Amino acid sequence: MDSRNSSAESDDSGLATLTKLRPSHLYDVVVVHRDLPVIRREAVYVPPGTSRITIKATAGHTISGRVIGEDGEPLAGASVHLAYPGRLPTLLRTPGLTSTVVTGSDGGFAVERVGDGVWGLVAQVPGFVGWHSGVSAGADDVVISMRRSRTLVALGLQDSLRGSEASLTGADVPFHLKTIVDEEGVVCFTDVPAGSYFLSFKADPLLKIPMIRLVDGDPPTIRIEVPPPATPEMLLIRGQVRLLDGTPAAGAKVGLFAEKPEGYLTLVSSIVNADEEGRYSAEAWPHVAGLRLRVVAVLDGVAGCSEVRDRARGTEVVLTRSTRRLKGIRVQEAENGRGVEDAEVRVLAVMGGGDFLTGPDGRAPSVVDVLPRALLPTSPTGESVGKLARRWTRKILGTVEIRVHAPWFLPVVRVLVVTPEFVEIKLRLAQVVEGRVVDKDGRPAAGIRIRTADGTADTDGDGRFVLIQGRDGPEAPRLVWSPLPDWRPVGRLPSLKPAKEKGVFVIPDARRWPLELAFGPEDEGLSVLVTLPGAPAVGPTPQAVIDSKGQCRNIDLLAGDYVLRILKGNTIIEELDLSLEPEPASGVWRRSFAR
């Protein structure tokens, strides 16, 4: 898409005209209302011979529905919030928006002044929470089922995390909660439904904490102890980089490589720069201490390599070998050879690279040093695997990768083993593919992400999409992701089914519905696992726990045949066949089992 910007305000009829656009280009258009949080976002193609487009800004919509409790009865007094789909409950707090409403005696609610698009809804009462992760603007039949929630408290956090932001992200539920670690090293999340979660911290993104699993049988408050992170002592390699005449190589790029037992080399440190005296300091994880290490340095077309023999004395690197330099790239049209302006060029190499933008003649001033293949020798060995590893090492370390993306052209990726001084990249024109996605009832499917081999796009509020693909022939778009209620792709991503109308595609019926199981009170505490027939029963992970009333919830399934396994701990004590009809009339599957 083109990177230049244009903006305009709509008139009394809701029309806005964007000007000074580039003909034959694709733009990402965002419509923002002053008093609405939402936005309509869509891809718009500017036809040849014009530099303006007209956009229609619609007024706000109303989303209405009802909230029901665990028993299926209407629930009064529940707070309903408008949220972003897929990131619940990231609530909207925009001035002028009634983003929070309270249900009436019949459990009904109405959220007004909502813009175009797909939204999420979160309902909360003390001890319970419910959500709907994909609601189209204007929907009037939304049903939110409440589930029991709990409070999660994490204790024993390290001092460096105090006062930082903590995030709890659901692995199998669309919840993303944020809060702040207090001065006692404690973080508390409220209104957390059952599911699996990842706990992370903004101050230390690399801190690894095991997945947290909450089930329906857990107490109202869950406390977990966060173990202190292991802080291994890093391997420190120091030394100096010099030119052939002995002068310090100030600013040289330095990297540490390790030779694996198989015979190939790999970069084990970040790339650092030598100081004014040519001195460097590179860190690596301690597990590479037992491997053969080499230090590689590059500066202005010359490179050097030295083996690390004595870490205490330091490793000196002398730049003696000339590198292969990529000095320029020209991006041109394959049909006529004209330069392509504003093409985004990314150059990737082991010891260099960068991002560039082509000028009016299609040239990008790229200067990248590529290591010579003979710079990094490997240990002598007569085994064939060692020879292949050495060949692989020299090929990869001496390779440069060029990625080019330009509006209205198909993206290109080229890998160069032999690096010339100048490279010409030829781009093929793409064709615009426009269409509309609807569900099986003919209603527009907003927020659907689809793709072809050459492009990806999201549908707008009317289910329309615009993307590019090659001119070799049309390809049926494939469904990648959907925020529709309780929708999940199963197995391979299904292809969209063409409708009778040209350019219209029907989304497959692949919706999940909640399953409620009823057992006897004597089964309290047992776990339930639902799998496809023939699935292995080794190492099962329980999906839900039978409560004191003999009930089991928090399972969503597609229509089909399943095997229901009842577990005591990790031991399967009974297996039952489970068949679910295509669609439950009440929106919930209910099954009873007498054991």
Side-chain angles (χ1 to χ4, degrees), residues 433-438 445 447-460 463-469 475-483 493-497 503 505-508:
V433 179
E434 298 184 75
R436 187 166 179 261
V437 181
V438 298
I448 304 297
R449 181 162 299 170
I450 59 176
R451 73 180 177 197
T452 62
D454 303 309
T456 302
D458 293 347
T459 58
D460 61 15
R464 300 187 180 277
F465 67 89
V466 180
L467 50 76
I468 64 172
Q469 71 175 26
E475 176 192 354
R478 296 184 66 82
L479 187 60
V480 179
W481 176 83
S482 168
L493 297 174
S495 296
L496 298 175
K497 300 176 181 178
F505 300 89
V506 181
I507 189 173

Side-chain angles (χ1 to χ4, degrees), residues 529-538 563 565 572 575:
L529 176 68
V530 181
T531 63
L532 293 173
V538 179
V563 174
R565 296 185 171 98
I572 299 175
E575 291 189 2

Side-chain angles (χ1 to χ4, degrees), residues 223-270:
R223 290 178 172 83
I224 61 172
E225 288 283 347
V226 178
T231 54
E233 184 178 353
M234 300 297 289
L235 186 66
L236 186 62
I237 304 297
R238 293 189 177 97
Q240 186 180 27
V241 183
R242 295 188 296 104
L243 299 175
L244 192 58
D245 59 4
T247 57
K253 294 181 179 179
V254 182
L256 182 64
F257 290 80
E259 180 182 337
K260 293 298 184 69
E262 295 82 1
Y264 65 87
L265 294 173
T266 182
L267 183 66
V268 294
S269 75
S270 57

Side-chain angles (χ1 to χ4, degrees), residues 214-361:
L214 305 180
V215 296
D216 288 330
D218 287 337
T221 301
I222 306 296
R223 290 178 172 83
I224 61 172
E225 288 283 347
V226 178
T231 54
E233 184 178 353
M234 300 297 289
L235 186 66
L236 186 62
I237 304 297
R238 293 189 177 97
Q240 186 180 27
V241 183
R242 295 188 296 104
L243 299 175
L244 192 58
D245 59 4
T247 57
K253 294 181 179 179
V254 182
L256 182 64
F257 290 80
E259 180 182 337
K260 293 298 184 69
E262 295 82 1
Y264 65 87
L265 294 173
T266 182
L267 183 66
V268 294
S269 75
S270 57
I271 304 298
V272 298
N273 293 325
D275 61 17
E276 295 180 355
E277 298 180 357
R279 300 188 180 279
Y280 67 88
S281 177
E283 288 186 338
W285 293 104
H287 70 273
V288 303
L291 302 178
R292 191 174 183 182
L293 303 177
R294 291 186 177 87
V295 179
V296 177
V298 178
L299 177 66
D300 294 337
V302 289
C305 175
S306 295
E307 184 176 350
V308 178
R309 298 185 182 277
D310 188 345
R311 297 201 300 268
R313 296 181 58 183
T315 301
E316 184 182 69
V317 182
V318 180
L319 305 183
T320 58
R321 291 182 177 270
S322 298
T323 64
R324 292 173 293 144
R325 309 201 80 187
L326 175 62
K327 298 181 179 180
I329 298 173
R330 185 175 188 267
V331 181
Q332 61 186 20
E333 298 184 26
E335 287 80 2
N336 51 38
R338 290 184 303 201
V340 178
E341 185 181 2
D342 291 341
E344 299 175 359
V345 180
R346 171 164 291 183
V347 182
L348 303 173
V350 173
M351 295 292 290
D355 296 325
F356 309 93
L357 201 65
T358 58
D361 59 351

Side-chain angles (χ1 to χ4, degrees), residues 132-211:
H132 214 295
S133 59
V135 181
S136 299
D140 58 0
D141 56 352
V142 181
V143 177
I144 302 178
S145 300
M146 302 297 283
R147 299 180 178 182
R148 193 172 298 275
S149 64
R150 53 204 38 81
T151 298
L152 177 65
V153 180
L155 309 171
L157 299 176
Q158 61 197 66
D159 294 343
S160 61
L161 298 178
R162 297 179 182 181
S164 66
E165 182 181 89
S167 299
L168 190 68
T169 305
D172 52 4
V173 290
F175 262 63
H176 183 79
L177 305 169
K178 292 184 179 180
T179 188
I180 302 297
V181 182
D182 65 18
E183 295 301 323
E184 302 295 329
V186 177
V187 61
C188 180
F189 296 95
T190 59
D191 294 326
V192 183
S196 301
Y197 294 90
F198 295 102
L199 179 60
S200 60
F201 301 90
K202 190 174 183 179
D204 188 0
L206 299 179
L207 179 60
K208 302 295 184 182
I209 297 178
M211 181 183 290

Side-chain angles (χ1 to χ4, degrees), residues 515 517 530-531 533 557-564 576-582 589-591 593:
L515 171 66
L517 302 173
V530 181
T531 63
L557 294 173
L558 295 164
D561 294 326
Y562 298 89
V563 174
L564 188 148
L576 303 170
D577 292 331
L578 179 64
S579 180
L580 303 176
E581 61 268 18
W589 278 307
R590 293 183 173 89
R591 295 290 185 272
F593 297 93

Side-chain angles (χ1 to χ4, degrees), residues 518-520 574 592-595:
F519 297 89
E574 188 170 355
S592 298
F593 297 93
R595 300 194 319 110

